[in-house]
Every structure is written in C-alpha cells, then in structure tokens.
Amino acid sequence: MEKIIEVKNLHKSYGEVQAVKGIDFYVETGKLFAFLGPNGAGKSTTINVICTLLNYEQGEVTLDGLKLGVDDAKIRQQIGIVFQDSVLDNLLTVEENLRIRGSFYGLDSKSLEQAIEEALKVTDIYELKNRRYGQLSGGQRRRTDIARALIHRPKILFLDEPTTGLDPQTRKSVWNMIEHLYKNQGVTVFLTTHYMEEAAKADYVVVIDNGQIVAKGTPIELKDKYSTDSLQVKPINKHEVINLLKKEKLDYSEISDLLVIPLNSTIEALPILKLLDGAISAFQVLNGTMDDAFIGITGKEMRE
Ligand code: ADP
C-alpha cells in the first residue's frame, strides 16, 4: 500500500473562522477516494490547500513524496483539478482549448499532439474535438473539463462534484469514464460528491464536518457502523401488528401504511416475520445505505 497523498494536522483559518481544525488522512495510490461533508464543512478549503492554491497555518502535506510549501511547482505537475465552474473558453473548439492548456506545460509539438490525442481518447470525446466548447452538452463539457485536467498526465485527479447538475443518464456515462481513469489508467481520483451512490463506489471515504474528520472507512465499514438495516412490513390490520410488536418490545416507526422495524442485522428479520405471519400482506428487508450512514455521521442530509 502506497500513500500518494498524506495530510497531517492541517489547520486553516479565514480570520476568525477556523475552516479546517487539524485534520489527518491519507489517500492510497490508484484508488478512488471520496471526501464528503455537508456544505461549509471544509472540503473546498482542504482541497485548495492540498492543490497549492491556498496557504495554511499549520500541518504537513505530501503529494507523491513532494512536500507542500517546498515543492509546489512539482506538485502542480502531478495533479489535475476540475472545479465545478468550468474555466474553458466557449468560443474555442475542444481541441483548441486542450492545446492552449497543454502549451503551458512546455511540451514540444509532437508530445503536445500526443497528449491532446490521449486526453481526447481517454475521456471519449475524440469525435467532438472540432466542436466549440460553448456548443457542447453538459456531459460533453464535463468530459472536456476532465480532458483538460489530464493533459499533462497527472498522477492525481481532483474532481469537485463532477456530476452535479447532469441528468441521471449523462451522470452515469461521465461516471463510467471516471471509473475507467482509476481502474484502468492508474490515476488516483480524489472526489467530492453529493451523490451517495457514487461515494459508495469509493475505495475509501473520509467525512469532514465543522473542519474536523468525523468518520473514515470503506463504504462497507461506514454503512455497517452508522446505518441500520430495517424490516418494512405492510400490516393487514395495523393495530394488531403494533400490538404484537409492543408485546415483544420491538421498536418500530410508521411510514404511511407501513411499519418499519430497525434491525441489527438482516437475519433478525426471520423471527419477527414468524411472529407476524398471517398479520402482514407484504414485507421487505432493507440494507442501510450510504445516505443513512452520512446522516448517522453528520446528523445532516447531504444537500444537493
Ligand atoms: P465546503 O467546501 O465543505 O462547503 P468550505 O471549505 O468552502 O466548505 O468552507 C469551510 C468554512 O470556511 C465555512 O465556514 C466557510 O464559510 C468558510 N470559508 C470558506 N472560504 C472562505 C473565505 N474565502 N473567507 C472566509 N471564510 C471562508
């Protein structure tokens, strides 16, 4: 296991506001890392510091063995960043936008052409290369933004809510491309997202709230620890089922015409179903989700 990003005791304030209050975490090479938190938690501040865009008061950060504050120019060679707001020129074509960006990296013309071609291919926008950026659809723009961030073949790609604002189908296709980057291209992806089904695909998740890390783990570990499974039943006679549950001292809540019974594990549903046999017309056992885990950790819903 190799750590490509390591953050130790990082502090960052804006005047009186302590945005990041001494956080520690690391990211493993070639993995999908999700950095989650409610609005105002400190995600952007942390990312901006790591990406050399913002100074900080205290802490140690290394990226690919390079020390933040010492090797910043080299760090910038190793990272690509896609923020929510695009920085590309609407009037230029996709290829022209990439060429301008690529030219900042001092490549000779042959290497530049090669880099542009690779970035177009890996993001699956080769056939769009002569279209003006301003005329692309939302998903095509996102791909182009990512291609721009990949033009210098960075080892780490920072994606700040890459699929926000896209329709579900486009989100899926942009997501497939992101998967291709870390699964097949060896790029480490540092992701923030409001979509918990994306976070659930991460190799590792760190949750920040109020400038502090409040949970870390794989999605499975977080779901296990912070969300609960439940049994939903549809009573034939609600009163009767409630009485049966009360007699057994089982917790429940009502959601419209259903009763929801929390479980420590799905197997606990079996004796309850036996108890309710004949008194219910339908049931389902639900596993805890990343959404539940997020609410369990932060007490807040992830706002979109
Ligand atoms: P997130 O990205 O998780 O929404 P941010 O890192 O943007 O959170 O913000 C963390 C905290 O720092 C918030 O309280 C926010 O209001 C504050 N903050 C962020 N940027 C600035 C700034 N430029 N000046 C002052 N306060 C800021």
Side-chain angles (χ1 to χ4, degrees), residues 14 17 19 37-46:
Y14 303 98
V17 181
N39 287 334
K43 301 182 297 292
S44 309
T45 302
T46 306

Side-chain angles (χ1 to χ4, degrees), residues 12-15 17-20 35-48 54 84 160-161 192 194 208 210-211:
K12 165 72 191 171
S13 300
Y14 303 98
V17 181
Q18 281 186 285
V20 175
F35 193 50
L36 308 180
N39 287 334
K43 301 182 297 292
S44 309
T45 302
T46 306
I47 292 176
N48 281 321
L54 201 59
Q84 285 175 56
D160 190 10
E161 293 185 29
T192 74
H194 277 165
I208 181 171
N210 275 320

